[in-house]
């Protein structure tokens, strides 16, 4: 039996699938795998992965064989090779090359066919020379996919593109070599009369080359956005430390993090990432875990406390004993959550594929029926084939190939100008049905960093003097709360003096001499040790701040407590307006945070949110989104941290703040470049408008085709009418898409 590599549970495997061209391919593979006894499979078209659970005793190679029988490729996962570069960009580069070559060759063909003044004596032969490579080599992905579909008795957009372009090229070859189209001096005049013709003087090379180039462009833009879907996982795994200082026989030895084993003791210096999940054995420090937990206040750790891999040591030197390594760490579990969430929602099909599932078989049947009818009426093979091929050519979706990419291109371009990045067409479908928007607190509704939020003075104290002395002392500390006070003091009073005899009092605060004053800044207990007790008014302010979930720091010098400084993650000035705008779009806002209930309620009241879910761990955020979805809600999630990535991927629509982490941005459907929550409302409005435009484009692209089909079947469609109808539908689709540039 083939071994299953990696740390997967027995009976579960993740296959890498190759050869899928649209969402219906994913559905076909899924159906094929699910027919096997005891097998449950979900196939993700975006990430090209199949998650399969299977009964004990089944060889995973049997799953690979089943996928290959369906006409696709499948690979069992291999052990990771750290230095190996990903191969996906090469595939994208190959598609880009195919597109560029096709466009360069197709443009002169279209120009020669549409502009009579360019039609020199043997122009039709130059057209053939340029068009043939476009149809045969440029359209190869469509022909391959059509052949796979044919072998399995199904049809997709690829079938129609392949059939239409080959029919157009084949008919043109017949007309050039056996008909009248090859004679010197042949021209395409602008004759728009409806008349029956035997087609021997007509060539359709511009249709064949133009359609191939247009559809390739759409495929390239889709592949590029699909390529980015897997980047969330890569970004998550890159967050961890790359190497680690392990203690071996009392000496520090630097080794790659992959060589770390459970039970090893390793050293973490100030500013370094903690290599893996573990327990502190020596030292104490403040650990910035905001990237994983969303908790804005650094966590104080001392011997016996647990720490999480990829968090940052913001204070002193720590010696940590590794407890979980590799796939057991919290970071790896979050990567799994993101991937599972992405797989779960990958069943969105492209609109064009849905329609083509019905449209393609009808067109093929109509073409065959047309051929049979005209042969049966004795009109002759020439007229019969002209009518049958005309049906295929007029149905060939030139405007359809433009419908989604042009609207998406204009919509995403306008979005980029407004600071909104839209990932792909499937994203837009989600925006239509959204009724609930879940807002992460830290970094989304709030600034995401500690800020000096309040200064409460004892009677008779000078505001600037308190800030100058406290700020000067805190400036010498690396602690994030100290840095927030120093930053706030510098903004208010300017340049801060340098302290002397600075000392860090472990777990309590800092002390030192500033301008001849013996200054203390820290917990009230530090001041009490120097007999500096807080007066009643400052005690009250301290209690209020702590009740609201804020951090309060006492300041004293020369034998007396002077002030209480309040540090908090403050609400962004635009957040309240943003919540009002989201409500105006018919959405119910929900505040979701890893912070404590008191902080969450304070922030929610400030911005006008009624529903609050607090003290939620990263994995719990996914569960909250799932729970809301189970209640029948369609959920949008707005977040910015690593801890939000899995929830962003699970939500029906994920919006990441561009000021946040790469992982959140990669897991989201929409990225808001500015850290302004109001852009979320704009993003949803723009997405809905773009989706309406795509639907309008698809309707008209089909409407032109469908309206012209009866004429083609009746044998009344000459090449100029076919070309004009195709050109007009394309111009209409592009013009309709360009209206999105006026979105405000």
């Amino acid at each position: 039996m083939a071994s299953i590599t990696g740390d997967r549970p027995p009976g579960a495997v993740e296959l890498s699938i190759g050869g899928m061209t649209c969402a219906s391919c994913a559905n076909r593979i899924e159906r094929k795998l699910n027919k096997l006894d005891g097998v449950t499979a979900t196939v993700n078209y975006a990430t090209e992965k199949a998650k399969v659970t299977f009964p004990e005793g089944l060889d995973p190679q049997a799953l690979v064989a089943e996928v290959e029988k369906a006409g696709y490729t499948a690979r069992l996962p291999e052990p990771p090779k750290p230095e190996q570069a990903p191969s996906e960009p090469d595939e994208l580069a190959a598609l880009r090359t195919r597109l560029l070559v096709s466009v360069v060759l197709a443009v002169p063909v279209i120009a020669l066919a549409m502009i009579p003044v360019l039609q020199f004596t043997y122009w039709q032969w130059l057209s053939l020379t340029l068009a043939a490579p476009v149809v045969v080599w440029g359209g190869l992905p469509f022909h391959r996919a059509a052949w796979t579909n044919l072998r399995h008795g199904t049809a997709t957009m690829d079938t129609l593109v392949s059939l239409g372009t080959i029919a157009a090229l084949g008919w043109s070859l017949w007309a050039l070599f056996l008909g009248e189209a090859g004679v010197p001096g042949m021209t395409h005049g602008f004759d728009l009369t409806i008349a029956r013709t035997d087609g021997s003087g007509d060539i359709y090379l511009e249709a064949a080359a133009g359609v191939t180039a247009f559809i390739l462009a759409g495929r390239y833009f889709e592949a590029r956005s699909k390529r980015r879907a897997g980047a969330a996982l890569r970004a998550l795994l890159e967050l961890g430390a790359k190497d680690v200082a392990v203690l071996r026989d009392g000496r520090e030895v630097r080794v790659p993090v992959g060589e770390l084993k459970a039970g090893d003791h390793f050293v973490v210096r100030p500013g370094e990432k903690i290599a893996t999940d573990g327990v502190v054995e020596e030292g104490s420090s403040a650990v910035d875990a905001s990237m994983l937990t969303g908790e804005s206040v650094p966590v104080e750790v001392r011997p016996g406390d647990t720490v999480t891999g990829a968090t940052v040591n913001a204070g002193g030197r720590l010696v940590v004993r590794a407890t979980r390594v590799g796939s057991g760490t919290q970071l790896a579990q979050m990567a799994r959550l993101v991937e599972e969430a992405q797989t779960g929602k990958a069943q969105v099909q492209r609109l064009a594929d849905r329609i083509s599932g019905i449209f393609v078989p009808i067109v093929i049947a109509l073409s065959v029926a047309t051929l049979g009818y005209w042969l049966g009426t004795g009109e002759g093979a020439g007229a019969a084939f002209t009518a049958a091929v005309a049906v295929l050519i007029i149905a060939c979706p030139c405007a359809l190939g433009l419908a989604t990419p042009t609207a998406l291109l204009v919509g995403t371009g306008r979005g980029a100008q407004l600071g909104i990045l839209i990932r792909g067409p499937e994203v837009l479908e989600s925006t239509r049905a959204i009724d609930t928007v879940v807002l992460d607190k830290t970094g989304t509704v709030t600034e995401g960093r500690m800020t000096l939020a309040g200064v409460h003075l004892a009677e008779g104290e000078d505001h600037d003097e308190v800030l100058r002395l406290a700020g000067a002392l805190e400036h010498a500390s690396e602690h994030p709360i100290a840095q927030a006070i120093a930053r706030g003091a510098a903004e208010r009073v300017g340049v801060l003096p340098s302290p002397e005899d600075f000392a860090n009092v472990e777990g309590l605060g800092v002390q030192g001499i500033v301008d001849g004053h013996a200054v203390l800044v820290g917990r009230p207990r530090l001041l009490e040790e120097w007999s500096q007790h807080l007066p009643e008014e400052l005690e009250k302010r301290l209690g209020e701040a702590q009740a609201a979930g804020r951090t309060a720091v006492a300041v004293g010098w020369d034998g007396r407590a002077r002030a209480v400084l309040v540090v908090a993650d403050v609400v962004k000035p635009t957040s309240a307006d943003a919540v009002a705008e989201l409500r105006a779009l018919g959405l119910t806002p929900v505040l979701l945070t890893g912070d404590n209930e008191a902080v969450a309620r304070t922030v929610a009241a400030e911005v006008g949110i009624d529903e609050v879910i607090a003290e939620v761990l990263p994995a719990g955020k996914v569960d909250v989104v799932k729970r809301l979805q189970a209640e029948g809600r369609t959920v949008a999630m707005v977040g910015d941290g690593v801890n939000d990535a899995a929830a962003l991927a699970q939500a029906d629509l994920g919006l990441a703040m561009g000021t946040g982490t790469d992982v959140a941005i990669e897991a989201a459907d929409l990225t808001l470049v500015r850290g302004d929550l109001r852009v979320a409302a704009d993003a949803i409005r723009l997405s809905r408008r773009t989706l309406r435009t795509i639907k309008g484009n698809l309707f008209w692209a089909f409407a032109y085709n469908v309206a012209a089909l009866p004429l083609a079947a009746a044998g009344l469609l000459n090449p100029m009418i076919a070309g004009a109808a195709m050109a007009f539908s394309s111009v209409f689709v592009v013009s309709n898409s360009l209206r999105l540039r006026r979105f405000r």
Side-chain angles (χ1 to χ4, degrees), residues 297-319:
V297 181
V299 182
E300 302 281 352
V301 296
R302 47 182 51 81
D305 290 343
T306 58
V307 289
T308 307
T311 55
V312 178
N313 176 15
R317 177 182 183 272
L318 296 174
V319 175

Side-chain angles (χ1 to χ4, degrees), residues 6-74:
D7 298 299
R8 293 182 306 276
V13 72
E14 189 174 73
L15 303 176
S16 297
I17 307 291
M20 294 192 290
T21 59
C22 63
S24 47
C25 297
N27 290 341
R28 190 176 309 134
I29 296 166
E30 207 168 278
R31 282 199 305 274
K32 198 91 176 161
L33 288 170
N34 285 330
K35 278 180 185 169
L36 295 172
D37 282 344
V39 170
T40 308
T42 54
V43 180
N44 186 337
Y45 170 55
T47 59
E48 298 186 332
K49 295 278 176 70
K51 285 182 84 72
V52 190
T53 56
F54 54 90
E56 209 173 325
L58 178 71
D59 185 344
Q61 289 292 354
L63 304 171
V64 173
E66 198 64 25
V67 174
E68 286 171 350
K69 266 193 255 173
Y72 304 90
T73 63

Side-chain angles (χ1 to χ4, degrees), residues 16 19 97 160 195 283 401 407 442 532 592 611 678 695-696:
S16 297
T97 304
L160 195 53
T442 309
Q532 298 180 15
L592 177 65
E611 201 171 334
R678 288 177 301 184
K695 287 186 162 178

Side-chain angles (χ1 to χ4, degrees), residues 370-715:
T370 301
L371 178 69
Y373 174 79
W374 287 115
L375 284 174
T377 56
E379 278 289 331
F385 276 103
T386 301
V389 171
V391 167
L392 284 178
I393 290 168
I394 196 64
C396 197
C398 177
L400 195 62
L402 285 169
T404 302
T406 53
L408 198 64
L409 214 60
V410 180
T412 52
R414 183 67 188 126
Q417 289 173 343
L418 299 171
I420 302 158
L421 305 181
I422 301 171
R423 188 169 288 278
E426 63 283 351
V427 170
L428 305 172
E429 286 190 282
S430 313
T431 61
R432 185 187 46 189
I434 296 300
D435 53 31
T436 302
V437 59
V438 175
L439 304 173
D440 169 56
K441 181 188 76 67
T442 309
T444 302
V445 176
T446 65
E447 293 286 0
R449 66 184 182 125
M450 303 304 286
T451 307
L452 182 59
V455 179
H456 303 294
L457 305 172
E459 198 173 331
E461 297 300 331
D462 179 66
H463 179 274
D464 286 3
E465 180 73 353
V466 165
L467 284 181
R468 206 169 62 81
L469 298 181
L473 193 60
E474 292 286 49
H475 188 61
S477 169
E478 294 169 337
H479 197 290
I481 290 174
Q483 289 298 305
I485 291 171
R487 201 167 45 243
E491 284 167 6
R492 289 167 171 82
V493 301
V495 180
L496 301 172
S498 298
E500 300 165 31
D501 296 336
F502 173 84
N504 183 20
V505 184
E506 195 174 300
L508 290 178
V510 290
Q511 62 188 48
I513 308 294
V514 183
D515 286 356
H517 300 287
V519 184
L520 303 168
V521 183
R523 297 180 191 272
R525 195 148 59 85
L526 174 65
L527 275 69
E528 285 164 10
E529 287 181 4
W530 291 82
S531 300
Q532 298 180 15
H533 298 279
L534 292 179
E536 191 179 329
E537 180 60 24
L538 291 187
E539 282 278 10
K540 184 181 167 193
R541 295 294 187 184
L542 184 89
E544 286 170 357
Q546 289 173 339
R550 297 183 162 193
T551 302
V553 175
V555 181
W557 66 82
D558 297 347
R560 204 153 74 83
R562 311 279 179 159
V564 165
L565 306 181
V566 178
V567 176
D569 181 12
V570 295
V571 170
K572 291 178 183 176
T574 56
S575 291
D577 291 342
V579 169
E581 285 180 31
L582 290 167
R583 283 191 189 279
L585 283 170
L587 307 176
T588 305
V590 177
L591 189 69
L592 177 65
T593 180
D595 254 350
N596 65 59
E597 184 86 23
V599 174
R601 290 282 170 201
T602 305
V603 170
E606 206 170 321
V607 296
I609 296 175
D610 304 322
E611 201 171 334
V612 176
I613 304 169
E615 296 174 28
V616 179
L617 295 173
K621 291 193 175 187
V622 184
D623 296 334
V624 168
V625 172
K626 284 181 179 171
R627 191 185 77 222
L628 292 169
Q629 288 169 329
E631 290 170 9
R633 301 205 215 180
T634 309
V635 180
M637 166 85 189
V638 189
D640 76 323
V642 175
N643 59 309
D644 304 318
L648 287 167
Q650 174 63 40
D652 299 286
L653 179 71
L655 297 96
M657 307 299 273
T659 48
T661 62
D662 290 348
V663 181
I665 290 166
E666 292 296 352
D669 304 305
L670 290 161
T671 301
L672 316 176
V673 175
R674 306 201 305 276
D676 187 343
L677 191 56
R678 288 177 301 184
V679 183
D682 291 338
I684 291 170
R685 283 194 301 116
L686 175 62
S687 298
R688 287 176 177 176
R689 179 84 58 85
T690 308
L691 180 66
R692 278 204 303 275
T693 304
I694 288 175
K695 287 186 162 178
N697 285 351
L698 289 172
F699 171 78
W700 286 110
F702 274 111
Y704 286 121
N705 291 12
V706 170
L709 278 174
L711 289 175

